[in-house]
Structures are given as structure tokens and as C-alpha cells.
Amino acid sequence: MQAVPRRVPGADGWARRWPLATLIPAVLLAVAILCLATGGLLDATGASPVPRDRLWAAAGVVGGVYSLWTTVQSLRAGRIGVDIIALLAVVGALATDELLAAGVIGVMITSGRALEGWAAGRARRDLDALLQNAPHSAHLYQAGALTTVPVEQLVPGDRVMVAGGELVPADGNLLGDAVLDESTLSGESRPVERTAGDPIRSGAANAGAPFDVMVTVPAAESSYAGVVRLVEQAEASQAPFVRLADRYALWFLALTSAASAAAWAAGGVSRAVAVLVVATPCPLILAAPVAWVAGLSRSARRGVVTKGGAVLERLAGCTTVLIDKTGTLTTGHPTVTDVVPAGPLSADAILGMAASLDQLSPHVLAQAVLRAARQRGCRLLLPTEVEEVPGRGIRGLVAGQPVALGKAEWVGISGAPGWAKAARRRAALDGSMTVFVSVDGQPAGVLMLDDPVRPDASRTVRALRRSGIDRIVMVTGDRPEVAETVGAALGVDEVLADRSPAEKLDVVRFERHRAPTVMVGDGINDAPALALADVGVAMGARGATASSQAADMVLTVDRLDRLGEARSIARRSRRIAVQSVMAGMAMSLTAMAIAGFGWLPAVWGAVWQEGIDVAVIVNALRALRPQGTELRLDEEGTSLTRRFQAEHVVVRAAVEQIRACADLLDRVPPPRAAAEVRDLYRLLAEEVAPHESAEQDLLYPALERLLGGSDPTGPMSRAHVEIAHQIRRLGQLLGEIGPEGPDGEEIAELRRLLYGLHAVLKLHTTQEEESYLSLGDEPAPAPPGSDHRSGGVTDPLACAPPGSGSASNERAGR
């Protein structure tokens, strides 16, 4: 894998800004205009006609020579290009002494090509920005000092300093807090905050104070290097629709020849020349490429890098989508969703013991647990005498107490006690995993782990269906029971579980035989299927390099809903390209008919054609702009969505605590049950209720102004009322419970109320994230346990303050 080439100001930067394909037409256009204008000035002053005619003829020759050159290039490539029509028009005008017409035609030819180069450059601006902003150098710590070295020299383990305004040179882990501008990677224009330990990607700009990064991969394998390679491939690609001009050159040339011959027979050679002038199919030559490149630029601006206009065209025609589950429809990071105590130890104590033990584990999930504990500010104790057996579990001493976690038999659980049986049954129903914990040789409880569905997954499925996708299939190597649960929640048409990479290929072949197919995945095992599909889409923000290289399109931001946006951009680009071509060709054919009757001289025919060129290019550039139907909040509304997205992390943690509290009511002594419910009520009254009230008072008015209509947020506002009512009922019920704790009937009433509140609050929070908070164009809030900023894991259960020793944990497959 080659390192990203360094681009420095000079010849290379000048050549990129002014490539020959753009520079030559621009220079020829300037020469043609100068000749035409100077000849016109001589004619206006009554000077001798000889220099005037020579200048006009020179302008025509300039255009004719350029048309000859492009025609020869087409013939060498085995194609009959439509430029031959323009060449015939110039030759005819010069042969009939229509020198002014020849000069105007020369300007028309060169201006058309120059306009194409300008428009393509304008449309490709966002792609070029990705290439030009590639990191070139890094400040490396060597022998206690900072040394500036090329990024190609960085290796994993190097420590580098990123100064203010500079780009992160390679992927790595933060060694301190930072504020980053990730707009070139994600399309989000606002700075984002990162904390120590967060993974960050190369290409992000330091928008704050200097910070240090520990490099984890070589620069050549970093995120930005991959994006640059994809952009370079996109620039080298050409959409099939762009070649329509050549595809239909034969019949159009025949039509033009017949029309000009008829005009010659009816009114002489000058009329035939006039037909040739307006017959030049510039709309077909110019409009399609500009529209597709504009679509590429628009998608790149939204964090979707596409390998050429051909991919966008295929995407616009696909009607089937195959989607992998883990890491694509789900976050790909299992999280602790609940802790079920089996004895006197509290959930916090169990988590603290487990997380402390995990500090010496190389297991990837252990690292996620430690990151979660640090994010919650939990204090961890150093374990001793640690022993880990892959596939079974880990054990050791924490503060002198024996602690073990892993499979049931590993931690000493025999038989099927009621709490363990209930946990396994719940895991089977929810598609979750269980990890058992013992302390001092006695069963302490079980950790429930889940791989949450992405908050934007349901929204993406709906967007795909609205865009014309009629079949969505989830293809995964996961267990059928887990896959069916996720598929049912998202509403896909079919779930194909327990599929190997070879079987995924068979699925792609079958679906391609039925209809054009998109495959979406993120792992190395998805790479063959991505390469085989009509359009392969890789989740490149965290996906494997192999899948990104095999894919035709890469989502460089960790948001699945950008797939729906890419599909909409592709369909709109195709619609605009076809519209521009058809409208331009209709105007050209109309002009041919008018010229054939002798009503449009060659000079004015050239002016007419020039106007058509400008019109179709301007129309094709509409693909750069957002679609008019897109609803986005203003800056004030977007700041509110950011605020409430952050608060939803706390709300989702409260949702899980409601369920956990309801589950343990009859498994602990009544006084402790009352204390647990009172702690939960304080959280609901002090955090959740004010959050829901603030949403109603601040966010919902902004949404109503955006959505319009009569009470568009009415159903969601009703949920706010119901949540507040249930929290008040909980407080009233607690007021009736004495110091001895709840009795049997009170426990039943508490459980009914808590389960109801859990269902309402969880559904309401999910609906807000999918339907409302996404309108602020910010990354979707993380589901319980996941850090949307870094792809890490956060414990959804509240940790005790520092010093209590509590923490979080998750473990699977030991």
C-alpha cells in the first residue's frame, strides 16, 4: 500500500488547479474571442475588410483545429465523436466565406469546452479539497525533542504533537483533550470535542490548543489516506451516461447530415452551414458529465466518497439493498445493558469488581469496559493473581477478594437457579449475551450485554423505501434468533442469518439476477460481497480496509443514514442529467428546423447554440445544491438538538435503570427495594422530568415552525404529559410506603408502574432521535452504552462517585 503523495505548492499544485483539459480550451477561447472582437472593432471603424476577415477566419480556425484534435482522439479510441459535426460547421462556414459565422462558431466550440472545464471544476471542488488537504508532515517526539518528519515515516507507537490549525497526520489515540474540525471527513461543519483515550482519524484539523496523539496505524493505512485513494479513483472514472454523446453519435450524425443536405437542396450551402452550426450537440457533451460530477461533489460533502459517476448512476438504478448486521445496522460494540444481582451485592459493586479485574485483560471487550469506566469517572482497584482462560473467563483478587467472570461453570454456578434461568431467558428473547460474576466464591450476578441497533437504522430503512428501494434484506453471519430480533425491529423484508462469506456471495448473485443490487457492510468478511454487488457500500469510518477497497462507495462518517442521502443524490443527479440533455437536444432540434427553413442565419445560430450551452450547464449544476424537500433546523434549532442529544445519554441510562429496578424488587429485602426505588425517583425527578419539560418548551416550538401544519408535534407532546404523570404517580406511591418497605401488593403496583414508564420513555426517546433530533444534521445520539464520538462503549448504569470503587464491565465468549 502506497503512502499518500505529498502535494506541495508548485508545479503539482498548479497542474491540479489548471489541468491541461481545462487550460487548453481556456487559452483557445481567449484567442478566439480576441480575434473575433478585434475583427468586429475593425469592422465598426470602417477599416479595410482584409484584416477583419483574417481575424474572423483565425477565430474559426482555432475552433476548427480544436474540433479536429478531439475528433482524431475519438477515432483513435474507436469511437465516432459528435465533435465531427462542429468541425463540419466550421469548414462549411470557411468554405462559403461566412467568416463572421466561422469566428462565432470557433468561439462557441472553445467556450463550450471551457465552460465544461469550469463547471466540472466547480462541481469537483469538494473532492479536490480532500486531496489538497492531505497531511504531509508530523511533529514527532524523538529523544525528548520535537522533530518534523514526513508522515510516511510514522509507525505505530510514535507519539506526535498536533499544533493548532494543523491536521492529524495518522490515525491514533488521543493523549489529552482536543477540539477538532472533522468537516473534511464527516461533512459536519461544527467543531467536536474529544477526550483522552478517544480514537481519532487522520485528516481532522486541530481547532483548539495543541495536543498529543499516539499513532496506531501507519499514515499510508490511515483514514485520510484511504479517502484520498478513493477520490483519485473517482476522478479517473467516468459514468456510462457521460458517453451518451458518443453512443448516439452515428444516428445523430446521420440525422444532421440529412437535415443539412435537405437545407442545401432547398436554400444552398449557407443554409446547410446554418443547420450544422445549431446541430452541434453541446448539451449532450456537457450536461451529463457536469451533473454527475456535481453529484459526486454533493455526496462527498455529506461524508460519502464515491468511486466515480458510474457508481452514482448504478446506485440510482438499484432496487434491492442487502445489509450486514454487526457494525452496519448495529453499533458493532456490545454494551452492558443491565446487571442482575444474585445476592446482597449491589449492581454497582458487581460492576466495580468486574471492571477492576478487566484492567489486566487483553480482551478487546475489556478495553471497552475500561474506557466506559473512565468516561463515568469511576475509580478502579488494581487486581492481583489474575488468570485468564480464553473461551471461559478471567479470575483474580480485587482488594483481596476472589472475583471471577465468564461462563456460568467458570464462576462456580451449578444447576439453573431462578435468577440465572430468568437472565438466560431474557437474553434469548432480546438477542443479548450473558456474563456471570462471582465474588468470594459465591454467585454475585450476571451482566447483560447487547449490540444496540443504530439510532439511525430505522430512519435509513424508511428513507431507502421512499427513494424507490422495494426489497431490503439483512444478511449476517450472526445467530438466527439474534438476527430475527434485529430484523423485526427494523422492518426489513427478509433475514438471512448464519451466512458465511461464501454464502453471502451466493445471496448477492441470486439478488443480482433478480434486480440491480446494493450491498452494505463493514468487515473484512463483507469484502467479496461488496466487490460482487452492482454497488458495494462500506462503512469506512470504522470499517476494515479490505471492505473499503472492495466497495464502490464509502461512508466516511459513522452514520448509516448517509446511505439514504447518497441514494437520493444519485437519483436527483440522474434526473437532472437526463433533464438537461433532453431539454438541450430539444432546443437544438428546434433550431435545426428553423435554420433549415432559412429563418436562422449561421451567425445567429451560433449565438443560439451558445445560449443553449450555458443553460444546460447551469441546470446541471443544480445537482450541487441540497434538494428542496430537505428539512433542516436553523442554527438555533440545531444547537438545541445537540443539547438534547447529549442529554439523551442520561435519559437512556435512566430507562435501563427503570427496568433493572423493577426486576429486583422481589429479590431484595423490602427496605432495600424502597431505597432503590427512591434513588431512581430522584434521578427521574431531577434529570428526566426537567429534560422532557425543556424539550417541550424549547425544541418543540422550533420543530413546529419547521414542520408547519396544525400541531405537528402533538402526539410527541402527549408523551411528555404521560411521562410527567407517571413520574408523579411514582412519587405519590413512594410517599405511601412506610420505613419497613413495600409489601407484596405495593411491589406489584411499583413493578407495573415502572414497566409502563420504561416502555413509554424508551419508545418516546427512540422516536425523538429518529424523527426530530436528526433534523439538526448532527450525528445521531449514541444508544445506551455507546460513545457516538469515538465508537467506544459507555456504561449506561450510573457509577458511584470516585472512591466508591464501582465501575462497569462487559464480557462475552469466555
Side-chain angles (χ1 to χ4, degrees):
M1 188 176 298
Q2 298 297 318
V4 179
R6 181 175 181 177
R7 293 178 172 82
V8 297
D12 182 62
W14 182 85
R16 170 163 286 280
R17 189 174 293 109
W18 294 103
L20 286 179
T22 300
L23 182 62
I24 291 176
V27 172
L28 294 179
L29 173 62
V31 172
I33 290 177
L34 179 63
C35 292
L36 184 64
T38 304
L41 183 62
L42 292 175
D43 183 65
T45 59
S48 171
V50 176
R52 176 202 67 187
D53 292 345
R54 288 178 178 175
L55 287 169
W56 285 346
V61 169
V62 168
V65 170
Y66 187 65
S67 290
L68 177 62
W69 178 62
T70 55
T71 299
V72 171
Q73 281 189 321
S74 298
L75 292 175
R76 284 180 175 177
R79 306 190 307 268
I80 299 180
V82 292
D83 289 321
I84 193 171
I85 299 174
L87 178 60
L88 291 175
V90 173
V91 172
L94 292 173
T96 57
D97 284 334
E98 292 278 358
L99 300 182
L100 176 57
V104 174
I105 295 170
V107 172
M108 178 192 74
I109 293 170
T110 54
S111 65
R113 291 295 185 176
L115 280 172
E116 178 187 8
W118 169 81
R122 167 69 178 85
R124 198 167 45 234
R125 184 173 61 187
D126 294 280
L127 297 178
D128 288 341
L130 291 172
L131 297 175
Q132 294 168 1
N133 291 336
H136 306 313
S137 61
H139 306 300
L140 177 65
Y141 286 96
Q142 287 183 325
L146 279 175
T147 305
T148 301
V149 299
V151 293
E152 294 84 356
Q153 296 183 12
L154 296 180
V155 297
D158 282 347
R159 179 172 177 171
V160 298
M161 187 273 289
V162 182
E166 293 186 346
L167 300 177
V168 177
D171 291 359
N173 292 327
L174 264 177
L175 300 179
D177 295 342
V179 178
L180 299 175
D181 176 2
E182 298 181 344
S183 57
T184 56
L185 294 171
S186 66
E188 303 295 345
S189 60
R190 302 171 188 85
V192 293
E193 296 182 358
R194 297 284 183 258
T195 57
D198 282 354
I200 59 174
R201 294 179 288 163
S202 62
N206 181 6
F211 57 83
D212 291 349
V213 176
M214 185 67 70
V215 176
T216 55
V217 297
E221 300 176 15
S222 290
S223 300
Y224 207 88
V227 171
V228 168
R229 282 189 293 272
L230 292 173
V231 173
E232 289 172 338
Q233 292 175 21
E235 289 189 323
S237 179
Q238 187 181 31
F241 196 88
V242 172
R243 296 190 292 269
L244 279 176
D246 297 332
R247 189 184 308 170
Y248 297 116
L250 280 175
W251 74 260
F252 193 82
L253 180 59
L255 175 63
T256 301
S257 300
S260 60
W264 193 337
V269 67
S270 60
R271 191 177 297 186
V273 171
V275 170
L276 288 173
V277 169
V278 295
T280 305
C282 289
L284 196 57
I285 297 172
L286 304 179
V290 171
W292 286 119
V293 175
L296 289 176
S297 183
R298 175 67 185 158
S299 61
R301 195 181 302 170
R302 300 300 298 157
V304 182
V305 176
T306 307
K307 296 179 181 178
V311 176
L312 275 185
E313 185 179 28
R314 293 199 303 271
L315 178 63
C318 288
T319 57
T320 297
V321 173
L322 308 177
I323 310 183
D324 178 49
K325 182 184 77 71
T326 305
T328 304
L329 288 172
T330 66
T331 62
H333 292 282
T335 61
V336 178
T337 58
D338 196 7
V339 179
V340 181
L345 282 180
S346 67
D348 283 350
I350 296 171
L351 286 170
M353 292 288 190
S356 295
L357 184 59
D358 261 340
Q359 291 179 99
L360 299 187
S361 172
H363 200 288
V364 62
L365 295 181
Q367 300 307 310
V369 171
L370 292 175
R371 183 166 57 250
R374 295 187 183 105
Q375 289 169 346
R376 290 289 181 176
C378 299
R379 185 174 68 91
L380 301 177
L381 303 176
L382 185 65
T384 58
E385 300 181 23
V386 176
E387 175 192 5
E388 184 166 9
V389 178
R392 299 187 66 189
I394 185 173
R395 58 190 169 201
L397 298 179
V398 177
Q401 293 180 288
V403 178
L405 61 153
K407 293 186 175 180
E409 59 272 15
W410 172 260
V411 302
I413 299 175
S414 58
W419 62 272
K421 185 177 180 180
R424 286 178 172 137
R425 180 171 58 249
R426 174 179 160 189
L429 292 173
D430 294 344
S432 303
M433 298 171 286
T434 56
V435 175
F436 293 89
V437 183
S438 68
V439 178
D440 286 332
Q442 299 298 318
V446 60
L447 308 182
M448 309 293 294
L449 295 95
D450 190 16
D451 183 9
V453 175
R454 290 177 178 269
D456 58 350
S458 294
R459 184 168 66 250
T460 301
V461 170
R462 293 195 299 271
L464 290 173
R465 294 199 188 280
R466 287 195 302 270
S467 70
I469 297 295
D470 57 25
R471 178 169 167 80
I472 301 177
V473 181
M474 187 174 74
V475 187
T476 179
D478 210 341
R479 296 171 294 151
E481 57 271 21
V482 176
E484 291 288 350
T485 299
V486 175
L490 297 178
V492 300
D493 297 300
E494 187 175 358
V495 175
L496 302 176
D498 202 17
R499 302 298 170 115
S500 65
E503 290 171 329
K504 287 185 178 182
L505 282 176
D506 293 336
V507 172
V508 173
R509 290 191 187 98
F510 175 80
E511 294 293 342
R512 284 190 68 194
H513 181 72
R514 174 187 169 274
T517 299
V518 178
M519 174 69 195
V520 189
D522 77 317
I524 293 176
N525 63 328
D526 297 320
L530 294 175
L532 181 62
D534 293 288
V535 176
V537 181
M539 302 291 294
R542 289 192 327 230
T545 302
S547 64
S548 296
Q549 290 180 340
D552 302 299
M553 180 178 288
V554 178
L555 308 185
T556 61
V557 58
D558 195 24
R559 291 184 59 174
L560 184 61
D561 59 354
R562 293 297 167 86
L563 174 62
E565 288 191 41
R567 163 79 175 176
S568 298
I569 290 170
R571 295 186 74 207
R572 185 166 182 259
S573 298
R574 181 179 65 178
R575 184 171 62 252
I576 290 175
V578 172
Q579 180 188 82
S580 299
V581 167
M582 293 299 102
M585 295 305 296
M587 288 187 285
S588 292
L589 291 173
T590 301
M592 287 171 63
I594 296 174
F597 284 106
W599 300 334
L600 186 64
V603 173
W604 290 106
V607 174
W608 179 303
Q609 188 64 48
E610 192 74 3
I612 295 175
D613 294 349
V614 174
V616 297
I617 288 176
V618 171
N619 185 67
L621 284 174
R622 288 193 301 115
L624 275 174
R625 300 198 299 268
Q627 197 162 357
T629 56
E630 291 183 9
L631 291 177
R632 296 295 177 194
L633 287 165
D634 56 19
E635 182 62 31
E636 180 181 358
T638 297
S639 66
L640 288 173
T641 64
R642 292 201 300 270
R643 167 189 165 181
F644 292 120
Q645 280 172 343
E647 292 181 7
H648 269 205
V649 176
V650 176
V651 174
R652 282 193 171 275
V655 168
E656 297 306 322
Q657 289 188 51
I658 293 171
R659 179 173 176 173
C661 185
D663 287 343
L664 63 77
L665 287 178
D666 59 355
R667 294 204 301 265
V668 297
R672 180 181 165 188
E676 295 283 352
V677 177
R678 287 192 174 92
D679 289 342
L680 174 62
Y681 174 73
R682 278 194 294 271
L683 173 64
L684 295 173
E686 296 173 4
E687 298 286 347
V688 175
H691 164 84
E692 303 296 334
S693 178
E695 281 186 331
Q696 183 64 45
D697 296 339
L698 301 177
L699 178 62
Y700 279 33
L703 291 169
E704 290 173 352
R705 290 191 297 271
L706 176 69
L707 299 175
S710 176
D711 196 18
T713 62
M716 299 293 285
S717 296
R718 181 65 184 85
H720 283 160
V721 175
E722 181 63 22
I723 291 169
H725 172 62
Q726 295 297 330
I727 293 175
R728 281 196 302 270
R729 282 191 61 200
L730 180 61
Q732 292 169 353
L733 185 56
L734 283 173
E736 298 174 1
I737 296 175
E740 68 280 1
D743 56 25
E745 291 185 0
E746 289 170 332
I747 286 178
E749 180 63 25
L750 282 171
R751 180 167 285 165
R752 282 194 296 269
L753 195 155
L754 291 176
Y755 281 147
L757 182 57
H758 171 270
V760 172
L761 188 56
K762 183 175 183 179
L763 177 62
H764 175 74
T765 302
T766 301
Q767 288 176 326
E768 279 188 333
E769 290 172 354
E770 291 186 2
S771 301
Y772 289 170
L773 299 186
S774 62
L775 296 177
D777 200 25
E778 285 293 300
S786 89
D787 179 4
H788 69 83
R789 299 171 306 166
S790 64
V793 177
T794 304
D795 173 24
L797 301 166
C799 288
S804 67
S806 63
S808 65
N809 178 75
E810 57 181 28
R811 175 75 67 241
R814 278 185 167 165

